[in-house]
């Protein structure tokens, strides 16, 4: 992270963001309520919260897949030749009808990047995620972990200023998840883009982030935030063994636990 | 006290599996062959009236003679095939374009859905008289009835194909900068292709059904006309030959579509085709 970009207004500024899904009925569902959040340039922030707390909704609003009901969100677009943000989805968002290469270059093609540049950039990232040999394979020929690497490459190739990650590793088994986390950290380390990472996995949030934000049960509001004091580069399993990791996890879990219980009580009330 | 031993027998498992596969394969062949043999036997012993059910051996001789020996059956098949192909294309191409639009654009869907729900259940043969009234007894009315039948089946499958594409793919495409045209081309069309091909296969069956029926009642040529005419003149060899030819052609048409599908949808698991 360079000195100049660390200063100035925050990269992402969310002020009183509220989202109501009307669903056609008279009273809608309030997914987000007056949520405020600032993310600095180059910062890696995770949002954890019980399922249904609106954390994915926030991300979809930032990615312009959803509108904002009230409030304001300001994104600082420094280099307008680059896309402002790109979402990293789960592996199931890889297009099954395109080869690995076609998937990875999808964003570049939409931006009409020249063929020779496209080839060079895509090759670079295919090599980074170790899928060079599978460039012409179709997704059905790949494992879940490999598909997730296609998804990672497709997102990073697009070279956005902000990376929005929507529980990208939720569908992976534990060993694969750890490998993907380390892979993500190593790719991210090369240019330290601003990241907003949504997860329900508390340990994942700590391992990856500079800061962890806990959201309340629906309607989603900001509940607490924690700075993660560990240096980088990080080795996922080494980090988890440290006593300070356990302490931090316990503190965050204390906040999260109440919200999970509340979300559960609400669900039971609703289904009665 | 007793002990229970569970011991592996690799050779025995393999042998059992091979035997099973053998049995299924022979059943595949045995069942039609024995049916033909039974028919032959019953017909020759006059348990079945051989005027109505001539033995298969005799039918096949007539079939070869009529098809390849100048009986003109191939010519009639050609006439029917031209009608099928023309009508199929006339129906399928607009159905594809409209189906994609309906799947992607909610206003188009809202406007056309009631109309289609109303017209779709009408048996297309029922409007043949109307079509003949409008288009006359020539080729046009036959092309039209096939086109209409094919149109609805392809349309409904295309719409369903687009609607069944997970929203996640559209989200990913939009987030990566796809405009409306790119969404059409790179998500809606390829994503719906497997369902579209299922629709094309059903529609091909419908096309055969419709052309034969149309030729029964309103044609002086075509394989349907020959079958109907031979029944009226009690020339059952021609009738049976026509039926065999239709069965073979229908099968070839389905195989052809499956081959085209494997070219256009190379990303589908081979066993799902």
């Amino acid at each position: 992270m360079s000195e100049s970009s660390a200063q100035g207004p925050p990269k992402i500024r969310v002020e009183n963001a509220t989202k109501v899904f009307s669903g056609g009925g008279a009273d809608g569902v309030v997914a987000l309520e007056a949520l405020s959040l600032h993310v600095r340039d180059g910062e890696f922030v995770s949002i954890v919260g019980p399922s249904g707390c609106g954390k994915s909704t926030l991300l979809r609003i930032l990615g312009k897949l959803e509108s904002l009901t009230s409030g304001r969100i300001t994104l600082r677009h420094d280099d307008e030749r680059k896309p402002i943000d790109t979402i990293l989805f789960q592996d199931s968002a890889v297009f099954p009808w395109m080869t690995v290469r076609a998937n990875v270059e999808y964003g570049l093609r939409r931006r009409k990047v020249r063929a020779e540049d496209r080839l060079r950039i895509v090759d670079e990232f295919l090599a980074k995620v170790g899928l060079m040999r599978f460039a012409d394979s179709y997704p059905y020929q790949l494992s879940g972990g490999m598909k997730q690497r296609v998804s990672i490459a497709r997102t990073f190739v697009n070279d956005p200023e902000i990376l929005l990650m929507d529980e990208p590793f939720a569908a992976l088994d534990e060993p694969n998840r750890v490998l993907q986390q380390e892979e993500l950290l190593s790719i991210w380390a090369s240019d330290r883009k601003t990241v907003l990472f949504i997860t329900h996995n508390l340990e994942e949030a700590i391992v990856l982030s500079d800061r962890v934000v806990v959201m309340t049960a629906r309607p989603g509001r900001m509940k607490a935030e924690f700075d993660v004091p560990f240096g980088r580069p990080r080795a996922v399993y080494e980090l988890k063994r440290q006593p300070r990791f356990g302490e931090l996890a316990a503190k965050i879990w204390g906040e999260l636990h109440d919200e999970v219980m509340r979300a559960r009580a609400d669900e039971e009330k609703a289904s009665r | 006290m007793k002990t229970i031993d569970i011991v592996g027998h690799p050779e025995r498992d393999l042998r059992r599996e091979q035997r099973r596969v053998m049995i299924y394969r022979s059943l595949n062949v045995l069942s039609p062959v024995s049916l033909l043999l039974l028919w032959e036997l019953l017909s020759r012993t006059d348990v079945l009236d051989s005027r109505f059910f001539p033995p298969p051996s005799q039918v096949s001789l007539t079939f070869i003679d009529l098809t390849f020996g100048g009986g003109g059956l191939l010519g009639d098949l050609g006439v029917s095939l031209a009608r099928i192909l023309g009508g199929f294309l006339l129906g399928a191409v607009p159905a594809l374009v409209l189906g994609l639009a309906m799947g992607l654009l909610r206003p188009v869907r809202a406007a056309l859905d009631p109309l289609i729900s109303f017209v779709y259940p009408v048996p297309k043969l029922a409007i043949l008289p109307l079509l003949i009234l409008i288009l006359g007894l020539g080729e046009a009315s036959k092309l039209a009835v096939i086109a209409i039948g094919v149109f609805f089946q392809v349309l409904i499958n295309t719409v369903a194909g687009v609607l069944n594409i997970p929203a996640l793919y559209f989200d990913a495409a939009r987030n990566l900068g796809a405009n409306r045209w790119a969404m059409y081309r790179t998500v809606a069309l390829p994503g719906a292709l497997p369902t579209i091909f299922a629709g094309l296969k059903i529609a091909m069956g419908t096309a055969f059904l419709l052309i034969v029926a149309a030729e029964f009642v309103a044609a002086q040529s075509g394989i349907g006309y020959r079958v109907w005419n031979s029944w009226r003149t009690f020339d059952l060899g021609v009738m049976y030959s026509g039926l065999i030819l239709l069965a073979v052609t229908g099968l070839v048409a389905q195989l052809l579509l499956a081959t085209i599908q494997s070219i256009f949808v190379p990303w589908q698991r081979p066993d799902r085709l």
Side-chain angles (χ1 to χ4, degrees):
Chain A
M1 181 174 23
S2 71
E3 278 301 310
S4 61
S5 63
Q7 290 154 7
K11 194 75 183 165
I12 304 174
R13 186 164 59 195
V14 181
E15 304 283 0
N16 290 316
T18 298
K19 173 69 185 178
V20 182
F21 287 106
S22 61
D27 40 42
V29 175
V30 183
L32 289 176
E33 195 173 51
L35 181 118
S36 294
L37 172 75
H38 290 197
V39 180
R40 289 188 304 277
D41 194 6
E43 195 181 17
F44 198 128
V45 174
S46 285
I47 299 183
V48 294
S51 27
C53 76
K55 49 193 193 299
S56 285
T57 304
L58 173 65
L59 195 109
R60 291 173 60 81
I61 293 171
L62 287 167
K64 284 163 235 54
L65 296 177
E66 209 78 73
S67 63
L68 187 62
T69 307
S70 71
R72 171 187 288 271
I73 292 176
T74 312
L75 306 176
R76 205 182 84 204
H77 201 170
D78 292 305
D79 182 353
E80 289 187 30
R81 286 165 301 174
K82 293 180 178 180
I84 178 68
D85 56 29
T86 304
I87 303 180
L88 172 60
F89 294 98
Q90 285 191 12
D91 61 327
S92 50
V94 169
F95 302 124
W97 49 84
M98 292 182 194
T99 61
V100 168
R101 176 178 296 281
N103 261 290
V104 173
E105 69 179 6
Y106 189 84
L108 299 182
R109 263 185 188 274
R110 301 286 82 76
R111 296 214 315 279
K112 311 235 177 330
V113 173
R114 291 213 324 265
E116 59 261 43
D117 294 336
R118 222 163 53 212
L119 192 70
R120 180 178 48 77
I121 303 169
V122 170
D123 277 353
E124 177 195 333
F125 278 92
L126 282 178
K128 267 189 193 171
V129 297
L131 286 174
M132 207 57 194
R133 280 198 308 129
F134 297 93
D136 299 319
S137 301
Y138 283 99
Y140 81 88
Q141 297 163 308
L142 308 180
S143 70
M146 288 158 87
K147 267 191 267 184
Q148 186 54 55
R149 270 139 69 195
V150 176
S151 191
I152 290 177
R154 182 171 75 176
T155 308
F156 276 86
V157 150
N158 213 29
D159 196 23
E161 295 200 357
I162 299 169
L163 288 160
L164 304 169
M165 310 199 179
D166 191 11
E167 307 200 31
F169 307 137
L172 298 180
D173 56 55
E174 178 66 11
N176 256 311
R177 187 181 312 140
V178 172
L179 286 178
Q180 298 295 317
Q181 288 165 352
E182 294 192 330
E183 197 143 19
L184 172 66
L185 282 179
S186 90
I187 298 180
W188 174 74
S190 62
D191 58 355
R192 297 234 173 170
K193 292 176 186 301
T194 310
V195 178
L196 197 62
F197 192 100
I198 305 294
T199 178
H200 55 247
N201 185 328
L202 175 54
E203 296 197 342
E204 177 171 81
I206 301 174
V207 160
L208 297 173
S209 321
D210 300 317
R211 189 151 55 100
V212 178
V213 173
V214 181
M215 270 174 74
T216 64
R218 194 159 62 208
R221 261 174 270 121
M222 173 90 107
K223 163 129 196 196
E225 54 180 317
F226 298 87
D227 281 318
V228 180
F230 307 110
R232 299 184 189 270
R234 297 172 183 172
V236 171
Y237 259 91
E238 296 298 311
L239 193 68
K240 286 188 182 177
R241 284 216 312 255
Q242 292 189 23
R244 282 198 303 162
F245 180 91
E247 284 163 26
L248 183 59
K251 263 203 286 186
I252 300 177
W253 174 242
E255 298 286 345
L256 190 56
H257 176 259
D258 295 348
E259 294 309 319
V260 174
M261 294 313 284
R262 251 190 58 205
R264 192 201 267 186
D266 285 350
E267 271 168 26
E268 278 166 10
K269 216 186 313 169
S271 61
R272 224 180 280 138
Chain B
M1 195 183 95
K2 78 179 198 192
T3 57
I4 296 168
D5 280 332
I6 298 173
V7 184
H9 290 284
E11 319 80 25
R12 200 172 63 190
D13 275 9
L14 189 66
R15 267 205 313 276
R16 273 188 189 161
E17 186 52 36
Q18 284 168 341
R19 205 178 317 144
R20 228 173 274 145
V21 171
M22 276 284 293
I23 289 171
Y24 294 145
R25 287 219 179 112
S26 24
L27 276 177
N28 275 338
V29 180
L30 268 175
S31 121
V33 167
S34 41
L35 196 68
L36 283 175
L37 280 176
L38 186 70
W39 177 2
E40 181 86 30
L41 195 77
L42 294 179
S43 177
R44 286 203 181 277
T45 54
D46 263 331
V47 179
L48 281 174
D49 191 333
S50 62
R51 286 171 306 168
F52 299 143
F53 303 102
S57 54
Q58 195 190 319
V59 171
S60 35
L61 286 178
T62 318
F63 173 73
I64 292 168
D65 187 43
L66 282 171
T67 328
F68 307 108
L73 218 48
L74 277 184
D76 280 300
L77 181 70
V79 169
S80 297
L81 278 182
R83 288 167 180 161
I84 287 175
L85 194 70
F88 192 81
L89 289 177
L90 276 175
V93 173
L96 248 160
V97 175
L98 192 63
L100 286 176
M102 281 181 70
L104 272 184
L105 308 171
R106 210 156 154 194
V108 181
R109 198 157 68 239
L112 296 181
D113 240 354
L115 210 60
I116 286 161
S117 309
F118 183 71
V119 179
Y120 178 61
V122 177
K124 301 306 167 290
L125 267 180
I127 53 172
L128 183 61
L130 180 65
L131 289 173
I132 291 175
L133 202 66
I134 300 169
L135 299 167
L137 272 165
E139 291 304 294
S141 56
K142 278 148 208 96
L143 290 178
V145 75
I146 295 174
I148 291 169
V150 167
F151 175 82
F152 281 99
Q153 269 165 358
V154 175
L155 179 73
I156 280 167
N157 270 278
T158 307
V159 177
V162 177
L163 291 181
N164 284 331
I165 299 172
L168 195 58
Y169 297 134
F170 289 107
D171 287 348
R174 185 152 22 131
N175 183 254
L176 288 166
N179 56 24
R180 174 142 275 159
W181 170 238
M183 297 274 242
Y184 246 102
R185 212 166 37 82
T186 65
V187 182
L189 179 61
L193 268 186
T195 322
I196 290 174
F197 268 100
L200 290 176
K201 284 177 187 165
I202 299 171
M204 185 54 89
T206 304
F208 272 79
L209 178 99
L210 288 173
I211 194 56
V212 169
E215 287 171 351
F216 273 8
V217 294
Q220 299 302 315
S221 61
I223 197 81
Y225 162 77
R226 284 298 290 270
V227 169
W228 188 256
N229 201 45
S230 57
W231 170 77
R232 285 203 307 196
T233 57
F234 213 68
D235 195 355
L236 292 192
V238 178
M239 186 189 84
Y240 278 109
S241 301
L243 291 181
I244 295 172
L245 208 53
L246 273 171
V248 173
T249 316
L251 190 68
V252 170
Q254 293 295 334
L255 286 176
L256 204 67
L257 271 175
T259 311
I260 296 173
Q261 180 175 12
S262 68
I263 294 166
F264 276 95
V265 195
W267 50 274
Q268 228 177 355
R269 281 172 197 281
D271 54 311
R272 300 258 174 92
L273 282 176

